[in-house]
Amino acid sequence: MPVRRSRLRLRLVLGAVVVVAVAAAGGVAYARTGNSPRFRTAAVTSGSVTSSLDVVGTISSARMATVGFAQSGTVAAVDVAVGAQVTAGQTLAQLDLTSLQAKLTQAQATVAAAQQTLTAAENGQLPTGNGGSTGGSSGAGSASGRSGSAATTVDTAGIKAAQQGVVSAQKAVDQALTSSRTRLAAAGTACGSSSPSSSPSPPPGGAGPTAAPTDPAACLAAETAVLSSENDLAGKQSALSQAQTALSQVLTSASTATTATSTATAATSGSSVSAAQLAQYQAALDADTAAVAVAEQNLGQGTAISPLSGTVVSVSMAVGQSVTGASSAALIAISAPDGYQITATVPTAQIARVQAGQHASVTPDGGNAALSATVTAVAATPGTSGYQVTLGLSASGSSLREGSAAAVRLTTGSAAAATVVPTSAVHTVGSRSVVDVLANGTATPTVVTVGIVGATRTQVLSGLKAGQQVVLADLSSTVTSDSSTSTGTGRGGGLTGGGLTGGGVGAGRGPGGGVGGGARPGG
């Protein structure tokens, strides 16, 4: 029968070739080898990406506001006069930003240098002046295969994994230390201490605050937070010590292996990067990155922004005037009979993403329509739970209630016409981001530089080009099913990392029980 023969021939042809089935939405594809799908992939494309931060704020009325500069400098522009009508988020005045911008540029250059040093160290190269010469190789270096008649093998992959363990552990220690110091400072404020210690640990002898706390409950909560952060720091430091020991053992084994033959010994005669040095370089990078965040905040504080919509009633600054930070002599006052603003607390770990002038959408409790708002101020010092951020609302007071809660979505970054991949395709370990690129049926790890990280898409600044296929999931890998602990948003029915949008290589768990293998949460 001709019809049957045609159908049979069609089936044989389809079963003999590699088929890529592309889903209708999102550009997700399945790469098949024979009859079994091996990878779930997505194409590198060009598009827009937006990152946001969700917090909860409190609405309060504000009839009058005075605005100045948190930084010292020379007034470069005053854009309003008495009687002018202004809106929330409008720029009122600005300092000469030359020096603040120069400090930010220098801080960014320092971070770039620190990142380069860390990357070189991970590749077995010591910077000049650290006991070795640049370009030298460690036990993880070129002797990564079989050498000489002894056929000794150096576990390069094991060394890399141990290195990343040290880098990640050191980064966790730095974050825990920052949190501990922040909570200690907040406890000093809450408990009435005039000069809290710079150390995260309390002074010997249990010396207490220098003055009685005005709010004992707040003081107790702050002290509890300090204790919790110290315990967390101790755990992170222990994990770092274990990671350093593991790397040292791997390097020792590699050194023993490479000295088994003269060929391998010659290949590894250069400098060696120890676990302690690697941790030192990561700590330096973390400190320099924190300095960039401070410089960015300082630059933002060189612009005075109106927190309210209202009328300018006084201006006590002029172009060319030298002002000091937080001066009460250089202010602009605004009257707003129906003015409202929102205060929200941003966790310390996220505050570097928030700057004055950023836009936000605000949905009051019980309301359906989102209102427009602008970040007008970021506190210079943290409280117990984080930094207080003030947003100006331009809405009238008819539908707003004093003291009511509101959902706030801050837009922390955006890019248009960017090279983008699904967020779940990016693995971030320590300071390095990697994407698996699929070509000719083989997935190759590729180091990339990421920019804006959105909920579903991530901007890639370098390392990829449009049209390449990136791996979201290896469907042949072993999947652990644990539906009782499913917390992710994927819907993959147990496939690695969840569904089509939340799927892939993230660490989040989808309702189907799939567990991703990467370091970024799925979805």
Side-chain angles (χ1 to χ4, degrees), residues 265-483:
T265 302
T268 57
S269 60
S271 59
S272 176
V273 181
S274 68
Q277 288 170 321
L278 198 63
Q280 173 189 346
Y281 299 144
Q282 178 61 52
L285 175 60
D286 291 338
D288 294 337
T289 301
V292 168
V294 171
E296 289 175 339
Q297 293 289 348
N298 291 344
L299 181 62
Q301 291 171 349
T303 302
I305 298 175
S306 176
L308 305 171
S309 295
T311 304
V312 176
V313 294
S314 69
V315 178
S316 58
M317 64 177 69
V319 174
Q321 178 182 349
S322 294
V323 299
T324 57
S327 171
S328 59
L331 298 172
I332 296 175
I334 301 161
S335 174
D338 296 320
Y340 278 82
Q341 64 183 14
I342 295 201
T343 55
T345 299
V346 174
T348 302
Q350 301 290 339
I351 194 60
R353 301 172 57 192
V354 181
Q355 298 178 24
Q358 289 176 336
H359 295 290
S361 63
V362 176
T363 305
D365 189 20
N368 295 321
L371 306 175
S372 178
T374 305
V375 176
T376 58
V378 178
T381 57
T384 305
S385 303
Y387 287 76
Q388 180 173 293
V389 174
T390 304
L391 301 96
L393 261 177
S394 57
S396 64
S398 58
S399 60
L400 301 177
R401 301 191 305 275
E402 176 79 19
S404 62
V408 179
R409 172 160 292 182
L410 295 162
T411 300
T412 57
S414 62
T419 300
V420 296
V421 297
T423 296
S424 59
V426 183
H427 316 256
T428 299
V429 180
S431 57
R432 178 173 297 178
S433 296
V434 176
V435 171
D436 292 328
V437 177
L438 185 67
N440 300 321
T442 301
T444 304
T446 303
V447 176
V448 298
T449 303
V450 300
I452 305 298
V453 179
T456 58
R457 295 200 289 185
T458 292
Q459 177 188 20
V460 177
L461 301 176
S462 65
L464 296 177
K465 59 183 179 181
Q468 289 180 297
Q469 294 291 317
V470 297
V471 175
L472 301 182
D474 183 348
L475 304 183
S476 64
S477 62
T478 302
V479 177
T480 302
S481 178
D482 183 7
S483 59

Side-chain angles (χ1 to χ4, degrees), residues 1 45 53 61 107 115 130 142 160 205 229 237 240 331 343 350 368 377 379 386 434 438 443 472 494 521:
M1 306 241 333
T45 60
L53 178 63
S61 60
Q115 178 64 72
N130 284 271
S142 57
K160 286 294 184 183
S229 64
Q237 288 173 331
L240 172 60
L331 298 172
T343 55
Q350 301 290 339
N368 295 321
V434 176
L438 185 67
L472 301 182

Side-chain angles (χ1 to χ4, degrees), residues 42-67:
V44 180
T45 60
S46 178
S48 60
V49 57
T50 300
S51 62
S52 60
L53 178 63
D54 292 332
V55 294
V56 176
T58 302
I59 298 174
S60 60
S61 60
R63 307 283 190 266
M64 178 74 69
T66 54
V67 183

